[in-house]
Amino acid sequence: MSDDENHLIAERRAKLARLRERGAAFPNDFRRDALAADLICAYGEKSSEALDAAPVGVKVAGRLRVKRIMGRASFAKIEDSSGAIQLFLQQQTLGESYDEFKAWDIGDVIGAHGTLFKTKTGELSIKADRIVLLAKSLRPLPDKWHGIADTELRYRRRYVDLIVNEESRRVFETRSRIVRYLRAFLDARGFLEVETPMLHPIPGGAAARPFKTHHNALDADMYLRIAPELYLKRLTVGGFERVYEINRNFRNEGVSTQHNPEFTMLELYQAYADYSDLMTMIEDLFQGLADSLLGSRKLIYQGTEFDLSKSFARMSIEDIILANNAELDAMSLRDTSYLRRVCDQMKIPYKAGDGAGKLQIEIFEKTGEHTLIQPTFAYAYPAEVSPLSRRNDHDPFITDRWEFFMGGRELANGFSELNDPEDQAQRFKDQVARKDAGDEEAMYYDADYVRALEYGMPPTAGLGLGVDRLVMLYTNSASIRDVLLFPHMRPENE
């Protein structure tokens, strides 16, 4: 903090001390009855004569953003959650309050009562007959026009970023609209919104490293959930044939422009459906969201235009690998020894126990994933890396699973669910073997989930959609931190 800033803070603290002496600090008896944007919408087009003929009294409150003192009369602008409106202040009308106003600072929260009128320039304003200081701001705001120049500081002090950066506010307002749209989209299709546990005795539903904690009363280790999948599918067994949840997942992994340790997912399950039905659902969802938010199915993200009006492309994992590695032998893509040699040549690391399916995915992620720019479903994932997906009826090496990509990023993952309890039990055992061999992201054996499947789960399809990445796409935000109100950061003293 600079010496100048320290000096300004000291001055403001002194002002607050004087307010406390008078018993006037932080009052809570002012009640506004109007928002700036509503007033401008309702009265902005009315003439001065119309406003003078039928005076409209209003009470407004917000943060002082502009202050122009001109002797015995002054102008100020306050900003509330909807926008800004101008105040006209006169010493003759306000008396002692006017002198107090002259000592108020940009950033203070104030209330004003008065009547609407138009200035000579035609700006809707409020001629105040009462003003009150509601909250003293002790720290000066960043420059109005430049905001917080330090990006990391924006994330750490989001409360300041939201005060001075209208674009940040719009991003989070859009995020709220997107979540509302997701709920309306699914509710209209007969889905039931549910809540499942955040604390799991066994982490499951995804290949990820969990956060671990301990429940003292039960004397049991617990895990913050990495995915709600196994609980939601238990509900499908129980007869809820269409369920969804929009909530947090937690994964003890790295932080990047696309990853945060806690993130929001939409996860849903639909009985008597398969993975191709969910491809159609994703198309409908993305197109409808574009219509709702943008009024167009052309979307621009970070300089790239996406056309959501066409059917989204569908390519198998093996086809994507071959399209980006023409020198590979198509007949050997399931030969473990051959794929290891390919990985060695490409300098792709792998583990000794990795089979052909896992090696395929390593090659796909290295050479193919980033090429999926326009909306694309990559499907036919190997069973080895899809422990909860249903095997393909005609090719047991693969599963009926897809991942959805735009701009080279995965946005959603969907598949026909594995509902064979004996196959599921064996795949859990295979995952345990991988974990014993050192794979920290491999799944645990969940005996209760296998027991649930033994009661019979109908043919079902499910998907997970990353809400944060979806918001990034529709708000043209480069980093996941731009769409999280309070992203995780290293401790400030580091």
Side-chain angles (χ1 to χ4, degrees):
M1 187 182 297
S2 68
D3 289 342
D4 286 344
E5 191 171 357
N6 279 325
H7 178 69
L8 290 173
I9 291 173
E11 284 187 346
R12 293 186 179 206
R13 288 189 183 279
K15 292 178 182 178
L16 176 59
R18 290 192 290 272
L19 288 171
R20 292 190 192 281
E21 289 173 2
R22 293 163 40 200
F26 302 100
N28 192 17
D29 57 354
F30 184 90
R31 296 293 178 266
R32 71 181 178 191
D33 59 15
L35 292 174
D38 293 341
L39 292 175
I40 292 170
C41 179
Y43 300 100
E45 298 302 318
K46 289 186 177 296
S47 66
S48 294
E49 292 76 16
L51 291 172
D52 292 341
V56 178
V58 296
K59 293 180 181 178
V60 294
R63 193 175 297 275
L64 181 61
R65 296 305 308 274
V66 176
K67 176 183 172 187
R68 297 198 304 274
I69 297 176
M70 300 175 295
R72 296 183 178 183
S74 298
F75 284 97
K77 274 198 176 180
I78 62 170
E79 188 172 68
D80 59 30
S81 60
S82 71
I85 194 162
Q86 182 169 261
L87 307 179
F88 177 60
L89 313 168
Q90 291 177 299
Q91 187 177 50
Q92 180 180 352
T93 305
L94 296 171
E96 185 179 333
S97 296
Y98 182 78
D99 295 326
E100 293 173 356
F101 161 77
K102 290 193 289 186
W104 295 352
D105 296 298
I106 299 298
D108 288 349
V109 179
I110 71 174
H113 176 275
T115 54
L116 295 175
F117 79 107
K118 286 284 187 72
T119 64
K120 292 180 180 178
T121 60
E123 181 173 356
L124 183 69
S125 304
I126 298 170
K127 187 178 297 183
D129 54 46
R130 181 194 171 206
I131 54 172
V132 59
L133 178 61
L134 300 175
K136 183 65 190 167
S137 172
L138 297 180
R139 292 178 180 268
L141 296 176
D143 178 87
K144 176 182 177 182
W145 303 110
H146 298 95
I148 304 178
D150 185 332
T151 301
E152 183 169 316
L153 203 58
R154 284 181 51 222
Y155 301 146
R156 289 190 185 279
R157 302 181 188 176
R158 181 68 81 189
Y159 40 88
V160 181
D161 179 42
L162 293 173
I163 291 173
V164 300
N165 188 346
E166 183 177 354
E167 181 56 33
S168 284
R169 294 198 298 273
R170 297 296 170 262
V171 165
F172 293 105
E173 288 167 359
T174 301
R175 181 186 178 109
S176 181
R177 291 177 61 193
I178 288 172
V179 173
R180 286 201 304 271
Y181 182 89
L182 294 176
R183 285 195 166 97
F185 179 89
L186 293 172
D187 291 346
R189 285 158 178 77
F191 282 81
L192 176 71
E193 184 175 10
V194 297
E195 293 179 308
T196 61
M198 291 288 187
L199 284 174
H200 291 188
I202 299 173
R209 183 186 300 180
F211 288 96
K212 186 177 181 179
T213 185
H214 187 79
H215 192 291
N216 292 332
L218 296 177
D219 191 23
D221 288 337
M222 305 288 282
Y223 303 86
L224 287 177
R225 78 170 182 201
I226 56 176
E229 177 168 345
L230 301 186
Y231 283 93
L232 290 171
K233 288 195 285 194
R234 284 176 171 93
L235 297 179
T236 306
V237 171
F240 287 141
E241 295 178 352
R242 297 189 180 203
V243 293
Y244 76 94
E245 183 169 9
I246 300 175
N247 219 321
R248 295 298 179 88
N249 291 347
F250 305 85
R251 298 181 185 177
N252 197 353
E253 299 169 348
V255 176
S256 72
T257 58
Q258 297 184 58
H259 297 91
N260 194 65
E262 60 175 303
F263 58 97
T264 303
M265 286 282 289
L266 159 66
E267 198 148 323
L268 66 85
Y269 293 88
Q270 179 177 344
Y272 309 106
D274 68 10
Y275 75 134
S276 63
D277 295 315
L278 297 189
M279 290 186 192
T280 302
M281 179 184 288
I282 284 291
E283 285 192 14
D284 292 344
L285 174 61
F286 274 68
Q287 291 170 347
L289 196 51
D291 293 342
S292 175
L293 293 177
L294 310 174
S296 167
R297 295 191 176 180
K298 296 288 174 63
L299 181 151
I300 296 177
Y301 179 74
Q302 300 298 296
T304 300
E305 183 175 280
F306 300 92
D307 186 357
L308 301 179
S309 64
K310 304 174 184 176
S311 293
F312 299 168
R314 303 183 183 191
M315 295 180 68
S316 73
I317 292 295
E318 292 183 358
D319 285 343
I320 294 170
I321 291 173
L322 292 172
N324 292 282
N325 302 277
E327 73 281 4
L328 296 187
D329 179 6
M331 303 302 293
S332 300
L333 281 187
R334 298 183 181 182
D335 183 310
T336 302
S337 298
Y338 174 75
L339 292 174
R340 284 177 179 168
R341 292 196 298 273
V342 171
C343 287
D344 289 337
Q345 292 168 3
M346 294 182 176
K347 295 183 170 48
I348 297 174
Y350 57 88
K351 296 182 174 66
D354 290 348
K358 175 65 170 166
L359 296 171
Q360 274 192 10
I361 293 303
E362 295 291 349
I363 295 169
F364 163 72
E365 291 179 349
K366 170 86 172 186
T367 67
E369 191 172 287
H370 68 277
T371 69
L372 305 178
I373 303 302
Q374 290 301 316
T376 303
F377 292 101
Y379 70 93
Y381 273 71
E384 182 181 355
V385 297
S386 310
L388 300 168
S389 306
R390 186 180 188 277
R391 291 184 192 271
N392 183 270
D393 287 335
H394 307 292
D395 184 354
F397 179 82
I398 61 173
T399 60
D400 291 340
R401 174 188 171 193
W402 51 260
E403 288 189 351
F404 178 62
F405 291 86
M406 282 181 64
R409 294 177 176 177
E410 178 213 344
L411 296 174
N413 178 24
F415 43 84
S416 299
E417 301 298 332
L418 175 59
N419 61 344
D420 179 338
E422 293 178 349
D423 189 357
Q424 183 66 81
Q426 182 58 51
R427 295 212 221 165
F428 276 151
K429 290 176 183 176
D430 294 341
Q431 287 286 300
V432 170
R434 292 185 64 88
K435 184 171 287 293
D436 291 343
D439 186 348
E440 294 181 339
E441 294 187 349
M443 294 184 186
Y444 290 71
Y445 189 97
D446 190 331
D448 181 69
Y449 178 67
V450 173
R451 179 168 54 198
L453 291 183
E454 289 174 346
Y455 282 93
M457 182 171 80
T460 297
L463 69 81
L465 172 65
V467 173
D468 306 312
R469 292 186 183 180
L470 186 68
V471 177
M472 288 172 63
L473 184 69
Y474 282 91
T475 59
N476 196 20
S477 299
S479 171
I480 194 171
R481 294 180 176 185
D482 294 325
V483 301
L484 299 174
L485 282 167
F486 300 103
H488 287 280
M489 312 281 289
R490 290 186 183 277
E492 198 164 2
N493 60 6
E494 296 184 13

